[in-house]
Structure formats: C-alpha cells, structure tokens
Amino acid sequence: MKATVRAHPNIALVKYWGKRDEALILPHQSSLSLTLAPIHVTTTVEFGAPSDTVELHGHVARGSERDRVLRLLDAVRVQAGRDLGPAKVVSRGDFPMAAGLASSAAGFAALAVAGRAAAGLPADTRASSILARRGSGSACRSVQGGFCEWQRGERADGEDSYAVQRFDAGHWADLRMVVAILDRGEKEVKSRDGMKGTVETSPYYPAWVKDAEAEVPRARELIAKRDLEALGELCERNAWRMHATSLAADPPLCYLNASTLGLIQHLREQRKKGVPVWFTLDAGPNPVLLTDAAHEIAAEALARACGAVDVVRCVPGGDATLLSEHLF
Ligand code: DP6
C-alpha cells in the first residue's frame, strides 16, 4: 500500500499549448519532448493512512494544489476498484522551482506511477501517462524517458490521449539542454490560464494548432537522424510561434522580458561564429538552450554572460522508476 517513484521533468521541443477539454486535460494538438536528467522529483504515496495529507516540497498543500493531487488519487481508486482508504503523499524535488521547468510535470508523473503501484495495480506506461495527464498535461510525457510524443487523440474520454516513447535516452546521449535562469520570480500568468486565454481569444490559434501538429513528425525525423542544427531551428520556430500566438491574445500574453530577448540575440551571434546553440522557451522568461556535450560549457558561459543568475545543465533522462527507499 506504499510506493515511491522518481521521475524527471521534460522540456517540450514541440509545445503543448491549449486544451480542447479542460476537465480531462485533452490538448488541441500533439507535442514532443525530451525528458531531462539528473534533476528529478521523488514522491511517496501510501494508502490506508489515518487521513488525506499532501506535503509538497516541504509544505502542507492546501486548496487547489491539494485538490489536484487528491483528484488524481481518486482516479487510481476507481482503477483499483476497491476502497483503499485515505492517502498520505510526500513529494520532493531537487531543482529550483523557479527554473521555469515545471516541477508539476515530474511531480504528477511520479504521483501517477507511485499511486498505481501503491494500489497494487500492474506497471502500465499507457495507464500511468493518462493518469499523469489528468494532473497536468505535460506530465504525461514524463512517465517515460528519452523523446516522448503526446498524441492528442480523438476520443472524448481521453483514453487515446497519452505519451509514447519514440527514442530512449541512449539514442542521443550527447544532446544537452541548458536551463538559463534569468529571472527567479513567479510568472505572472500560469501556463494553465495563459493557454486558456490564447485558445479563447487569439485569432492565430487555429494556425498554431495546424502548424504544431505538422511539426511533430518533422521533429521525430530530425531526432532519428540526430540532426542538431535542423532540430534547433525547428525548436526555435515552434517556440516563437507559441509566443506569437499568445502575444495576439486579448489581453496579450508576453512571457519574454528584455533579458530573454538579449540572450536570444546573443545566441544568433554565437551561431554565426560556429557555436551550435539554439533555444526553446516555455511560459516564462527563462530560455532552455539546446546544444551538444562539446558545447555545454560554452552554452552555460553564454547564459551567464547574458545575466543568468543560475544555470542547470541537463542530459537526456530515463523512465519514472520505483525506488525501494520511501520518503516516510
Ligand atoms: C508551455 O502541462 O503545465 O510548458 O495541463 O494546464 O497543467 P496544464 O499545463 P502544463 O503546460 C505546459 C505548457 C508548456 C509547453 C509544454 O510543456 O508542452
């Protein structure tokens, strides 16, 4: 009745931006990401506790944060088909929460896999991905390592909307992602609200959906060939288009700040000098740089020269895994 899982966050190379179903968290388009190591979140779930308690990163979760965790465990109870009693959840991450890499992706992936294991359900990546998705969309891509594709699916019940691994972490072991933390502040508009506003008011939204869907198989082909330059260009293009769509929302959503633009400008200059480094950008000001092992130190130096207060260097990460040591 107790299980502990470690999962890694992921960074989308082709972004998920917008839901067709808010309650089930079903996306309008498919997306593709890379799971990132060594950073991770560890979560222990125990059923049969005296009462429902949720402790996240050292504080007792309340309100909507708590509800999201307990709702996911309710879905586990339905899958188990029996009364599992109240649950105790403790979760801890080892990376800066302001890194712009949502700890929620790793957190909900770890919770889904640990929840199923604690309930005695068999290991099942598809079922875990669907469960993780219901906590946070991008979490469905953190159940497995390497390059994972979240297929949007067609069904209204979401049973065909989950992530599948296309290539494992070993496929492109010298790929590097360098997170440049320019700003530690909380973002003003959370992804969830930002994408909702974009879906509802951006006139460019239909074009975003069509384009992102078409970029997924292209990205897959470039990953198969380990073509860093073409993948870097695709990543930048996709990030720009997500931000362009959001800028066109009403009210407009601008996640970039002056330092973000400064760093992007600097990257272009470095590329002209032959440094292979590209960026992607989620719903915040902190870019994630895409490069190879031979240039990760140069990428870190470049980020720091552009004002990064912290830098997290990542390599392709593996699957969410069960641990024998628990957090309580
Ligand atoms: C820009 O998965 O955090 O990082 O499903 O509402 O929990 P919810 O949103 P979330 O959004 C991630 C948006 C993104 C792009 C991506 O990771 O694909």
Side-chain angles (χ1 to χ4, degrees):
M1 294 284 264
K2 189 175 192 174
T4 300
V5 169
R6 168 178 290 181
H8 299 287
N10 69 76
I11 181 78
L13 307 175
V14 178
K15 312 286 182 200
Y16 140 58
W17 195 243
K19 300 176 182 65
R20 65 176 199 275
D21 184 314
E22 298 272 333
L24 289 174
I25 310 198
L26 299 177
H28 274 289
Q29 29 82 219
S30 305
S31 55
L32 191 156
S33 62
L34 174 64
T35 302
L36 301 178
I39 50 178
H40 59 263
V41 169
T42 305
T43 302
T44 299
V45 177
E46 181 174 39
F47 287 108
S51 63
D52 282 331
T53 50
V54 180
E55 187 194 308
L56 303 178
H57 315 298
H59 71 272
V60 175
R62 301 192 194 285
S64 64
E65 204 183 23
R66 180 176 191 269
D67 292 347
R68 269 167 89 178
V69 170
L70 295 180
R71 258 204 313 273
L72 193 150
L73 294 178
D74 281 343
V76 172
R77 290 185 175 95
V78 171
Q79 290 179 2
R82 63 194 170 94
D83 182 14
L84 299 165
K88 177 172 176 176
V89 177
V90 175
S91 184
R92 275 183 216 143
D94 75 335
F95 55 102
M97 295 308 144
L101 290 171
S103 61
S104 62
F108 281 111
L111 181 70
V113 178
R116 280 183 55 91
L121 291 160
D124 180 334
T125 51
R126 177 176 170 273
S128 296
S129 180
I130 291 176
L131 207 52
R133 188 204 77 217
R134 294 177 60 174
S136 181
S138 53
C140 76
R141 301 184 311 233
S142 270
V143 168
Q144 286 181 285
F147 297 87
C148 293
E149 214 174 287
W150 177 7
Q151 302 169 325
R152 67 179 293 279
E154 302 290 336
R155 290 170 56 146
D157 65 2
E159 288 303 297
D160 58 353
S161 187
Y162 55 92
V164 290
Q165 185 189 58
R166 291 294 181 198
F167 306 94
D168 67 16
H171 167 73
W172 197 345
D174 84 333
L175 187 65
R176 294 290 180 272
M177 303 295 294
V178 177
V179 188
I181 302 165
L182 298 170
D183 185 343
R184 285 188 211 273
E186 282 265 314
K187 52 192 174 195
E188 272 170 43
V189 183
K190 290 193 186 322
S191 302
R192 188 157 290 192
D193 303 324
M195 65 175 84
K196 188 167 189 284
T198 307
V199 173
E200 287 169 359
T201 66
S202 177
Y204 304 158
Y205 191 71
W208 156 260
V209 172
K210 195 166 167 237
D211 180 71
E213 195 65 44
E215 293 283 48
V216 169
R218 287 184 204 125
R220 193 196 305 144
E221 266 174 48
L222 299 174
I223 295 163
K225 291 193 283 188
R226 299 185 196 86
D227 185 337
L228 181 61
E229 181 172 356
L231 183 66
E233 281 169 7
L234 186 152
C235 278
E236 289 201 354
R237 185 164 78 218
N238 179 260
W240 277 126
R241 288 176 184 172
M242 181 194 114
H243 288 275
T245 312
S246 306
L247 279 165
D250 185 15
L253 275 160
C254 183
Y255 287 108
L256 298 84
N257 64 25
S259 336
T260 317
L261 286 172
L263 195 151
I264 291 171
Q265 186 61 36
H266 195 59
L267 283 188
R268 288 186 180 151
E269 286 153 20
Q270 291 298 307
R271 280 208 295 272
K272 280 189 204 141
K273 293 181 188 160
V275 184
V277 58
W278 291 265
F279 79 92
T280 183
L281 188 70
D282 280 346
N286 300 324
V288 179
L289 310 184
L290 184 82
T291 189
D292 58 17
H295 296 89
E296 65 171 330
I297 302 291
E300 167 163 1
L302 185 160
R304 292 200 188 271
C306 290
V309 290
D310 203 356
V311 169
V312 185
R313 295 207 309 256
C314 301
V315 300
D319 298 348
T321 15
L322 276 166
L323 305 181
S324 50
E325 249 178 61
H326 304 297
L327 293 179
F328 59 90

